Structures are given as C-alpha cells and as structure tokens.
Amino acid sequence: MSAFRHRHLLGIEPLEPSDIETLLDTADGLKEVLDRPIKKVPALRGKTVVNLFYEPSTRTRSSFEIAEKVLSADSLSIATATSSVTKGETLLDTAKNLEAMNPDMFVVRHSASGAPHFLARHCRSAIVNAGDGAHEHPTQALLDALTLRQRKGRLKGLRVAIVGDILHSRVARSNVWLLTKMGAEVVLCGPPTLIPPGIEAVCPVTYRIDEAIEGADAVMMLRIQLERMSGGFFPSLREYFQRFGLDEARVRRAKKDVVILHPGPMNRGVEIASEVADGPYSVILDQVTNGVAVRMAVLYLLLGGSGGTA
Ligand code: CP
C-alpha cells in the first residue's frame, strides 16, 4: 500500500488529493478483512491507541474501537464523564498523564475547535481528529467519500447538495474540503441563519432546498445541532421540516439514481422523513459500515502497520 506522509490526521484541509486517494484506496483494500469469518489481522500488533472522547458518540467511537480490534492494536476508551476530567483536570494534563503510559496514538473528540491540533503540538503520540467543535470531522468525510465512490464509481464531477445546519457542522466543513479537492460540485443549502458568513466564496449557497436538490447525484442531509444553539435560528422544528426537510416528493427532483446520505444521528421528521431515511435511495447504513474500513485505513497508515493484513 502507498506511503502516507502525515503523522497526524487533524483535518481534510491540509490533505492533497493524492492523500485522500491513498486513504480511500487503503480503506477499499482493508474492507475485505471485515467480510472474513475471522475478522482479525496482525497489522498493528504491539501498538496502543487511546480513544479520548469529550463529547458523546455512537458511530465514530464504536467504529474506531472495532477498527483497532480488527487490526490487533491494544486500545482503551476514556469516558470523560467517569474520568478525572470531572475533577477539573485539563485536556493537556489528561493527555500527558495517559501519554506517560506510552500509547502510540490518541483518537480525540472535543467540543473545542482546534483541541486535536493543540494536542498534536504538545504530545509525541499520533493524533486523529474524531470531531472538533464545528471545525472538522475528517474520518466522516472520508467514509462519505468512500460510500459515494462505491455507488457512483467516482467523485469528480458529481453534484452534491449538503442541506441543513451548515453553521455548526464539522461534517459539512470536512466534506466541502474533500469534495471540492476531488473535483465534485458542492452546493450548500439551509436557512440564512445556519449558513456561515462568507462561505459563498468557497461554494454556491441557496436557501431553497428544491433548487439545491435539482439534478443532484447525492444529497447529504445534516442534523440540526440544537445542543450548539443558544438562540432562535428558525421559528419551529415543524416549519424547518416544511422548508428544509427531505421527503419523497423532494427526492424526485434529484437524479433518478441519487443517493441520500446522513452522518447520523438523525432527527427523523426534522431534517429527513423516515420514508427517505429507510427508503431505496438511502446509503446511511452503508456509511456506517464504511466507517470501520476508513478508520482501519487511518490507523494503518498513521501507525505504519507492518504486521501484514493476510
Ligand atoms: N457521525 C458521527 O460522528 O456520529 P457519532 O456522533 O455517533 O460518532
């Protein structure tokens, strides 16, 4: 497999298209291991990974844990709610104390944008960003891209609509970086209050969902992140669904072979109707499956797996 020149995975922004290709090709290659009767290879034997999650997670944390086990890394997950973080220990002190036990990597989720970058400057371990505030969620964008590439055979030239709470979405940011670097055409859509100022300089914006979806190859619906909102960004959830929710009638405006993505967790009936989330165009559970392969690729490439995958 190709060499990967980065020590950390902090975001999609610093990556070259060739890095993204390497990550996706490696994930494609490793995916086969997950279909074996015995899903275990010795590639990362002797490596230790600490999953340090300061925010809740179902998909990202579980898939990192599974990826670590499949690749034979030793791993542990720190639940900050039951750790000394609750006694006031800082992020850096927590990391430094864990690092004194000699791990090789931290997988970090934190509510503060830049927290993984801060650790990368102060720790000797490899750092993987598992989501930092509203900044980036690089492994989510990679698994989205892997899913799109599997379904469409390419990323270049695809028209992808990203709809919803763009303002608070690290998933949107990482996907905009990845998809534009790989030659896809991205259009963003949401209420004006949930679109970051100045984003029009990066890709087109519309406030009308029908316009965003028209002729789309893929539609990525985003969750309304109520936990990051302090004020009234829209009148009501009911009105939000009427203006920006994805139902079957709206899906028909896209291409016939459109795929519908959502990073999860979903707010059914708010940004997406159940008939769409569970319908024939949905690839939402494929995204979750691909999350394991993508995280295996990240671990493998950053930790310099040498034990083989046979
Ligand atoms: N998509 C995603 O990051 O999901 P979790 O918050 O469950 O990890």
Side-chain angles (χ1 to χ4, degrees), residues 109-150:
R109 172 169 286 193
H110 203 284
S111 59
S113 296
H117 307 67
F118 172 75
L119 290 184
R121 285 196 297 277
H122 291 94
C123 297
R124 55 166 175 67
S125 310
I127 306 291
V128 176
N129 182 356
D132 64 322
H135 179 229
E136 279 229 41
H137 192 348
T139 56
Q140 178 69 44
L142 287 163
L143 72 87
D144 294 339
L146 188 65
T147 308
L148 281 173
R149 211 175 69 159
Q150 281 167 357

mmCIF file of all heavy atoms in Angstrom, residues 109-150:
data_model
loop_
_atom_site.group_PDB
_atom_site.id
_atom_site.type_symbol
_atom_site.label_atom_id
_atom_site.label_comp_id
_atom_site.label_asym_id
_atom_site.label_seq_id
_atom_site.Cartn_x
_atom_site.Cartn_y
_atom_site.Cartn_z
ATOM 1 N N ARG A 109 -12.053 13.349 20.336
ATOM 2 C CA ARG A 109 -13.249 14.160 20.037
ATOM 3 C C ARG A 109 -13.402 15.191 21.145
ATOM 4 O O ARG A 109 -13.318 14.855 22.333
ATOM 5 C CB ARG A 109 -14.505 13.303 19.943
ATOM 6 C CG ARG A 109 -15.765 14.160 19.840
ATOM 7 C CD ARG A 109 -16.982 13.390 19.496
ATOM 8 N NE ARG A 109 -16.985 12.994 18.093
ATOM 9 C CZ ARG A 109 -18.052 12.509 17.461
ATOM 10 N NH1 ARG A 109 -19.187 12.358 18.098
ATOM 11 N NH2 ARG A 109 -17.977 12.166 16.189
ATOM 12 N N HIS A 110 -13.622 16.439 20.742
ATOM 13 C CA HIS A 110 -13.709 17.526 21.734
ATOM 14 C C HIS A 110 -14.644 18.615 21.209
ATOM 15 O O HIS A 110 -14.722 18.826 20.001
ATOM 16 C CB HIS A 110 -12.309 18.102 21.993
ATOM 17 C CG HIS A 110 -12.174 18.792 23.305
ATOM 18 N ND1 HIS A 110 -12.687 20.045 23.540
ATOM 19 C CD2 HIS A 110 -11.599 18.401 24.467
ATOM 20 C CE1 HIS A 110 -12.432 20.400 24.788
ATOM 21 N NE2 HIS A 110 -11.783 19.417 25.383
ATOM 22 N N SER A 111 -15.310 19.296 22.134
ATOM 23 C CA SER A 111 -16.238 20.367 21.726
ATOM 24 C C SER A 111 -15.500 21.623 21.265
ATOM 25 O O SER A 111 -16.087 22.485 20.612
ATOM 26 C CB SER A 111 -17.178 20.722 22.875
ATOM 27 O OG SER A 111 -16.397 21.136 23.986
ATOM 28 N N ALA A 112 -14.213 21.736 21.590
ATOM 29 C CA ALA A 112 -13.453 22.941 21.212
ATOM 30 C C ALA A 112 -12.767 22.724 19.865
ATOM 31 O O ALA A 112 -11.993 21.771 19.698
ATOM 32 C CB ALA A 112 -12.407 23.258 22.279
ATOM 33 N N SER A 113 -13.036 23.627 18.919
ATOM 34 C CA SER A 113 -12.330 23.578 17.636
ATOM 35 C C SER A 113 -10.840 23.749 17.908
ATOM 36 O O SER A 113 -10.445 24.634 18.669
ATOM 37 C CB SER A 113 -12.803 24.715 16.719
ATOM 38 O OG SER A 113 -14.157 24.556 16.412
ATOM 39 N N GLY A 114 -10.023 22.899 17.312
ATOM 40 C CA GLY A 114 -8.573 23.020 17.473
ATOM 41 C C GLY A 114 -7.996 22.178 18.596
ATOM 42 O O GLY A 114 -6.766 22.127 18.746
ATOM 43 N N ALA A 115 -8.837 21.508 19.393
ATOM 44 C CA ALA A 115 -8.299 20.699 20.504
ATOM 45 C C ALA A 115 -7.312 19.619 20.001
ATOM 46 O O ALA A 115 -6.228 19.457 20.584
ATOM 47 C CB ALA A 115 -9.439 20.069 21.306
ATOM 48 N N PRO A 116 -7.616 18.892 18.911
ATOM 49 C CA PRO A 116 -6.640 17.885 18.441
ATOM 50 C C PRO A 116 -5.339 18.523 17.952
ATOM 51 O O PRO A 116 -4.262 17.953 18.110
ATOM 52 C CB PRO A 116 -7.368 17.179 17.284
ATOM 53 C CG PRO A 116 -8.809 17.511 17.463
ATOM 54 C CD PRO A 116 -8.862 18.850 18.129
ATOM 55 N N HIS A 117 -5.453 19.727 17.365
ATOM 56 C CA HIS A 117 -4.255 20.433 16.879
ATOM 57 C C HIS A 117 -3.370 20.833 18.062
ATOM 58 O O HIS A 117 -2.140 20.747 18.007
ATOM 59 C CB HIS A 117 -4.656 21.677 16.075
ATOM 60 C CG HIS A 117 -5.639 21.377 14.977
ATOM 61 N ND1 HIS A 117 -6.925 20.973 15.238
ATOM 62 C CD2 HIS A 117 -5.504 21.405 13.636
ATOM 63 C CE1 HIS A 117 -7.559 20.765 14.095
ATOM 64 N NE2 HIS A 117 -6.714 21.018 13.106
ATOM 65 N N PHE A 118 -4.015 21.261 19.143
ATOM 66 C CA PHE A 118 -3.302 21.617 20.371
ATOM 67 C C PHE A 118 -2.546 20.396 20.905
ATOM 68 O O PHE A 118 -1.353 20.474 21.238
ATOM 69 C CB PHE A 118 -4.334 22.134 21.389
ATOM 70 C CG PHE A 118 -3.806 22.371 22.764
ATOM 71 C CD1 PHE A 118 -3.018 23.478 23.058
ATOM 72 C CD2 PHE A 118 -4.102 21.479 23.798
ATOM 73 C CE1 PHE A 118 -2.537 23.700 24.344
ATOM 74 C CE2 PHE A 118 -3.623 21.688 25.080
ATOM 75 C CZ PHE A 118 -2.835 22.797 25.356
ATOM 76 N N LEU A 119 -3.217 19.252 20.933
ATOM 77 C CA LEU A 119 -2.538 18.034 21.419
ATOM 78 C C LEU A 119 -1.394 17.634 20.492
ATOM 79 O O LEU A 119 -0.340 17.187 20.948
ATOM 80 C CB LEU A 119 -3.540 16.884 21.560
ATOM 81 C CG LEU A 119 -4.564 17.021 22.694
ATOM 82 C CD1 LEU A 119 -5.435 15.782 22.775
ATOM 83 C CD2 LEU A 119 -3.873 17.269 24.044
ATOM 84 N N ALA A 120 -1.599 17.821 19.202
ATOM 85 C CA ALA A 120 -0.537 17.453 18.238
ATOM 86 C C ALA A 120 0.729 18.277 18.477
ATOM 87 O O ALA A 120 1.837 17.806 18.243
ATOM 88 C CB ALA A 120 -1.043 17.643 16.810
ATOM 89 N N ARG A 121 0.535 19.510 18.972
ATOM 90 C CA ARG A 121 1.703 20.367 19.237
ATOM 91 C C ARG A 121 2.417 19.973 20.522
ATOM 92 O O ARG A 121 3.598 20.255 20.686
ATOM 93 C CB ARG A 121 1.269 21.845 19.324
ATOM 94 C CG ARG A 121 0.946 22.483 17.987
ATOM 95 C CD ARG A 121 0.898 24.003 18.080
ATOM 96 N NE ARG A 121 -0.147 24.482 18.960
ATOM 97 C CZ ARG A 121 -1.424 24.634 18.612
ATOM 98 N NH1 ARG A 121 -1.805 24.337 17.379
ATOM 99 N NH2 ARG A 121 -2.314 25.073 19.474
ATOM 100 N N HIS A 122 1.701 19.345 21.459
ATOM 101 C CA HIS A 122 2.278 19.100 22.782
ATOM 102 C C HIS A 122 2.539 17.635 23.099
ATOM 103 O O HIS A 122 3.137 17.336 24.136
ATOM 104 C CB HIS A 122 1.362 19.698 23.863
ATOM 105 C CG HIS A 122 1.345 21.199 23.845
ATOM 106 N ND1 HIS A 122 0.408 21.924 23.160
ATOM 107 C CD2 HIS A 122 2.183 22.100 24.408
ATOM 108 C CE1 HIS A 122 0.655 23.215 23.301
ATOM 109 N NE2 HIS A 122 1.733 23.348 24.056
ATOM 110 N N CYS A 123 2.066 16.729 22.275
ATOM 111 C CA CYS A 123 2.230 15.292 22.569
ATOM 112 C C CYS A 123 3.139 14.658 21.524
ATOM 113 O O CYS A 123 3.252 15.151 20.406
ATOM 114 C CB CYS A 123 0.879 14.583 22.554
ATOM 115 S SG CYS A 123 -0.243 15.184 23.822
ATOM 116 N N ARG A 124 3.736 13.528 21.890
ATOM 117 C CA ARG A 124 4.572 12.837 20.905
ATOM 118 C C ARG A 124 3.774 11.777 20.144
ATOM 119 O O ARG A 124 4.204 11.276 19.116
ATOM 120 C CB ARG A 124 5.800 12.203 21.571
ATOM 121 C CG ARG A 124 5.444 11.288 22.681
ATOM 122 C CD ARG A 124 6.549 10.397 23.166
ATOM 123 N NE ARG A 124 6.054 9.665 24.319
ATOM 124 C CZ ARG A 124 5.096 8.756 24.290
ATOM 125 N NH1 ARG A 124 4.540 8.408 23.143
ATOM 126 N NH2 ARG A 124 4.687 8.173 25.395
ATOM 127 N N SER A 125 2.582 11.434 20.655
ATOM 128 C CA SER A 125 1.750 10.412 20.002
ATOM 129 C C SER A 125 1.125 10.972 18.718
ATOM 130 O O SER A 125 0.970 12.189 18.574
ATOM 131 C CB SER A 125 0.598 10.004 20.929
ATOM 132 O OG SER A 125 1.083 9.690 22.200
ATOM 133 N N ALA A 126 0.745 10.064 17.820
ATOM 134 C CA ALA A 126 -0.047 10.473 16.655
ATOM 135 C C ALA A 126 -1.439 10.879 17.142
ATOM 136 O O ALA A 126 -1.965 10.284 18.085
ATOM 137 C CB ALA A 126 -0.152 9.315 15.671
ATOM 138 N N ILE A 127 -1.999 11.911 16.500
ATOM 139 C CA ILE A 127 -3.329 12.407 16.893
ATOM 140 C C ILE A 127 -4.285 12.264 15.710
ATOM 141 O O ILE A 127 -3.961 12.675 14.588
ATOM 142 C CB ILE A 127 -3.284 13.908 17.304
ATOM 143 C CG1 ILE A 127 -2.227 14.172 18.396
ATOM 144 C CG2 ILE A 127 -4.674 14.382 17.743
ATOM 145 C CD1 ILE A 127 -2.517 13.594 19.758
ATOM 146 N N VAL A 128 -5.461 11.708 15.985
ATOM 147 C CA VAL A 128 -6.523 11.647 14.977
ATOM 148 C C VAL A 128 -7.701 12.472 15.487
ATOM 149 O O VAL A 128 -8.155 12.278 16.619
ATOM 150 C CB VAL A 128 -6.970 10.194 14.710
ATOM 151 C CG1 VAL A 128 -8.150 10.170 13.734
ATOM 152 C CG2 VAL A 128 -5.820 9.375 14.161
ATOM 153 N N ASN A 129 -8.161 13.376 14.639
ATOM 154 C CA ASN A 129 -9.315 14.206 14.980
ATOM 155 C C ASN A 129 -10.592 13.410 14.717
ATOM 156 O O ASN A 129 -10.914 13.089 13.574
ATOM 157 C CB ASN A 129 -9.282 15.484 14.124
ATOM 158 C CG ASN A 129 -10.419 16.425 14.437
ATOM 159 O OD1 ASN A 129 -11.288 16.112 15.252
ATOM 160 N ND2 ASN A 129 -10.417 17.584 13.782
ATOM 161 N N ALA A 130 -11.333 13.119 15.784
ATOM 162 C CA ALA A 130 -12.621 12.403 15.645
ATOM 163 C C ALA A 130 -13.785 13.377 15.750
ATOM 164 O O ALA A 130 -14.909 12.972 16.064
ATOM 165 C CB ALA A 130 -12.711 11.315 16.721
ATOM 166 N N GLY A 131 -13.506 14.660 15.470
ATOM 167 C CA GLY A 131 -14.530 15.699 15.526
ATOM 168 C C GLY A 131 -14.155 16.752 16.539
ATOM 169 O O GLY A 131 -14.097 16.446 17.723
ATOM 170 N N ASP A 132 -13.867 17.990 16.053
ATOM 171 C CA ASP A 132 -13.519 19.083 16.983
ATOM 172 C C ASP A 132 -14.467 20.252 16.763
ATOM 173 O O ASP A 132 -14.405 20.957 15.774
ATOM 174 C CB ASP A 132 -12.043 19.501 16.838
ATOM 175 C CG ASP A 132 -11.668 20.094 15.499
ATOM 176 O OD1 ASP A 132 -12.186 19.614 14.467
ATOM 177 O OD2 ASP A 132 -10.854 21.042 15.475
ATOM 178 N N GLY A 133 -15.354 20.458 17.740
ATOM 179 C CA GLY A 133 -16.312 21.563 17.679
ATOM 180 C C GLY A 133 -17.006 21.615 16.332
ATOM 181 O O GLY A 133 -17.448 20.588 15.817
ATOM 182 N N ALA A 134 -17.101 22.831 15.780
ATOM 183 C CA ALA A 134 -17.730 22.991 14.466
ATOM 184 C C ALA A 134 -16.671 23.031 13.367
ATOM 185 O O ALA A 134 -16.946 23.472 12.257
ATOM 186 C CB ALA A 134 -18.549 24.273 14.449
ATOM 187 N N HIS A 135 -15.455 22.542 13.667
ATOM 188 C CA HIS A 135 -14.344 22.711 12.740
ATOM 189 C C HIS A 135 -14.254 21.605 11.685
ATOM 190 O O HIS A 135 -14.579 21.811 10.519
ATOM 191 C CB HIS A 135 -13.030 22.834 13.539
ATOM 192 C CG HIS A 135 -11.827 22.977 12.691
ATOM 193 N ND1 HIS A 135 -10.708 22.208 12.881
ATOM 194 C CD2 HIS A 135 -11.575 23.784 11.641
ATOM 195 C CE1 HIS A 135 -9.811 22.559 11.971
ATOM 196 N NE2 HIS A 135 -10.305 23.516 11.222
ATOM 197 N N GLU A 136 -13.817 20.388 12.089
ATOM 198 C CA GLU A 136 -13.644 19.300 11.095
ATOM 199 C C GLU A 136 -14.000 17.951 11.700
ATOM 200 O O GLU A 136 -13.916 17.749 12.925
ATOM 201 C CB GLU A 136 -12.206 19.280 10.572
ATOM 202 C CG GLU A 136 -11.919 20.299 9.473
ATOM 203 C CD GLU A 136 -11.197 19.684 8.253
ATOM 204 O OE1 GLU A 136 -11.532 18.564 7.829
ATOM 205 O OE2 GLU A 136 -10.281 20.367 7.750
ATOM 206 N N HIS A 137 -14.362 17.031 10.835
ATOM 207 C CA HIS A 137 -14.617 15.631 11.201
ATOM 208 C C HIS A 137 -14.075 14.797 10.023
ATOM 209 O O HIS A 137 -14.829 14.282 9.196
ATOM 210 C CB HIS A 137 -16.112 15.410 11.411
ATOM 211 C CG HIS A 137 -16.480 14.114 12.064
ATOM 212 N ND1 HIS A 137 -15.594 13.064 12.248
ATOM 213 C CD2 HIS A 137 -17.673 13.678 12.568
ATOM 214 C CE1 HIS A 137 -16.232 12.068 12.842
ATOM 215 N NE2 HIS A 137 -17.486 12.413 13.046
ATOM 216 N N PRO A 138 -12.740 14.723 9.937
ATOM 217 C CA PRO A 138 -12.149 14.185 8.704
ATOM 218 C C PRO A 138 -12.524 12.739 8.382
ATOM 219 O O PRO A 138 -12.738 12.410 7.210
ATOM 220 C CB PRO A 138 -10.639 14.323 8.946
ATOM 221 C CG PRO A 138 -10.470 14.531 10.416
ATOM 222 C CD PRO A 138 -11.722 15.194 10.892
ATOM 223 N N THR A 139 -12.615 11.876 9.399
ATOM 224 C CA THR A 139 -12.934 10.478 9.054
ATOM 225 C C THR A 139 -14.377 10.343 8.572
ATOM 226 O O THR A 139 -14.682 9.439 7.794
ATOM 227 C CB THR A 139 -12.643 9.513 10.229
ATOM 228 O OG1 THR A 139 -13.371 9.931 11.390
ATOM 229 C CG2 THR A 139 -11.151 9.449 10.542
ATOM 230 N N GLN A 140 -15.270 11.262 9.010
ATOM 231 C CA GLN A 140 -16.644 11.221 8.492
ATOM 232 C C GLN A 140 -16.647 11.565 6.995
ATOM 233 O O GLN A 140 -17.298 10.886 6.195
ATOM 234 C CB GLN A 140 -17.522 12.218 9.267
ATOM 235 C CG GLN A 140 -18.965 12.274 8.766
ATOM 236 C CD GLN A 140 -19.748 11.004 9.060
ATOM 237 O OE1 GLN A 140 -19.663 10.473 10.157
ATOM 238 N NE2 GLN A 140 -20.511 10.503 8.093
ATOM 239 N N ALA A 141 -15.903 12.614 6.617
ATOM 240 C CA ALA A 141 -15.863 12.979 5.197
ATOM 241 C C ALA A 141 -15.245 11.853 4.367
ATOM 242 O O ALA A 141 -15.673 11.593 3.238
ATOM 243 C CB ALA A 141 -15.073 14.272 5.006
ATOM 244 N N LEU A 142 -14.259 11.168 4.928
ATOM 245 C CA LEU A 142 -13.629 10.072 4.185
ATOM 246 C C LEU A 142 -14.606 8.911 3.990
ATOM 247 O O LEU A 142 -14.671 8.310 2.919
ATOM 248 C CB LEU A 142 -12.366 9.601 4.913
ATOM 249 C CG LEU A 142 -11.180 10.575 4.821
ATOM 250 C CD1 LEU A 142 -10.127 10.249 5.884
ATOM 251 C CD2 LEU A 142 -10.554 10.539 3.421
ATOM 252 N N LEU A 143 -15.382 8.595 5.024
ATOM 253 C CA LEU A 143 -16.325 7.483 4.862
ATOM 254 C C LEU A 143 -17.469 7.880 3.930
ATOM 255 O O LEU A 143 -18.008 7.037 3.186
ATOM 256 C CB LEU A 143 -16.816 6.975 6.228
ATOM 257 C CG LEU A 143 -17.779 7.814 7.055
ATOM 258 C CD1 LEU A 143 -19.230 7.548 6.701
ATOM 259 C CD2 LEU A 143 -17.565 7.534 8.544
ATOM 260 N N ASP A 144 -17.837 9.159 3.935
ATOM 261 C CA ASP A 144 -18.851 9.640 2.987
ATOM 262 C C ASP A 144 -18.313 9.491 1.559
ATOM 263 O O ASP A 144 -19.025 9.039 0.652
ATOM 264 C CB ASP A 144 -19.193 11.110 3.261
ATOM 265 C CG ASP A 144 -19.877 11.294 4.610
ATOM 266 O OD1 ASP A 144 -20.434 10.329 5.151
ATOM 267 O OD2 ASP A 144 -19.842 12.433 5.136
ATOM 268 N N ALA A 145 -17.049 9.879 1.376
ATOM 269 C CA ALA A 145 -16.443 9.791 0.036
ATOM 270 C C ALA A 145 -16.312 8.343 -0.414
ATOM 271 O O ALA A 145 -16.541 8.021 -1.589
ATOM 272 C CB ALA A 145 -15.074 10.470 0.050
ATOM 273 N N LEU A 146 -15.954 7.466 0.508
ATOM 274 C CA LEU A 146 -15.835 6.045 0.150
ATOM 275 C C LEU A 146 -17.197 5.513 -0.302
ATOM 276 O O LEU A 146 -17.301 4.789 -1.305
ATOM 277 C CB LEU A 146 -15.303 5.248 1.349
ATOM 278 C CG LEU A 146 -14.953 3.790 1.083
ATOM 279 C CD1 LEU A 146 -13.789 3.672 0.105
ATOM 280 C CD2 LEU A 146 -14.606 3.059 2.394
ATOM 281 N N THR A 147 -18.245 5.912 0.401
ATOM 282 C CA THR A 147 -19.605 5.466 0.061
ATOM 283 C C THR A 147 -20.012 6.011 -1.314
ATOM 284 O O THR A 147 -20.552 5.271 -2.152
ATOM 285 C CB THR A 147 -20.596 5.948 1.146
ATOM 286 O OG1 THR A 147 -20.103 5.539 2.427
ATOM 287 C CG2 THR A 147 -21.980 5.378 0.930
ATOM 288 N N LEU A 148 -19.726 7.284 -1.555
ATOM 289 C CA LEU A 148 -20.059 7.876 -2.858
ATOM 290 C C LEU A 148 -19.273 7.208 -3.981
ATOM 291 O O LEU A 148 -19.821 6.906 -5.043
ATOM 292 C CB LEU A 148 -19.735 9.374 -2.846
ATOM 293 C CG LEU A 148 -20.747 10.284 -2.144
ATOM 294 C CD1 LEU A 148 -20.212 11.708 -2.066
ATOM 295 C CD2 LEU A 148 -22.073 10.265 -2.897
ATOM 296 N N ARG A 149 -17.985 6.960 -3.727
ATOM 297 C CA ARG A 149 -17.150 6.360 -4.765
ATOM 298 C C ARG A 149 -17.624 4.948 -5.093
ATOM 299 O O ARG A 149 -17.633 4.531 -6.252
ATOM 300 C CB ARG A 149 -15.684 6.365 -4.289
ATOM 301 C CG ARG A 149 -14.681 6.483 -5.407
ATOM 302 C CD ARG A 149 -13.280 6.613 -4.893
ATOM 303 N NE ARG A 149 -12.767 5.398 -4.262
ATOM 304 C CZ ARG A 149 -11.476 5.142 -4.097
ATOM 305 N NH1 ARG A 149 -10.565 6.021 -4.503
ATOM 306 N NH2 ARG A 149 -11.062 4.029 -3.518
ATOM 307 N N GLN A 150 -18.029 4.196 -4.060
ATOM 308 C CA GLN A 150 -18.538 2.840 -4.301
ATOM 309 C C GLN A 150 -19.817 2.880 -5.138
ATOM 310 O O GLN A 150 -20.011 2.066 -6.028
ATOM 311 C CB GLN A 150 -18.840 2.144 -2.972
ATOM 312 C CG GLN A 150 -17.597 1.615 -2.286
ATOM 313 C CD GLN A 150 -17.863 1.217 -0.839
ATOM 314 O OE1 GLN A 150 -18.963 1.378 -0.321
ATOM 315 N NE2 GLN A 150 -16.840 0.704 -0.186
#
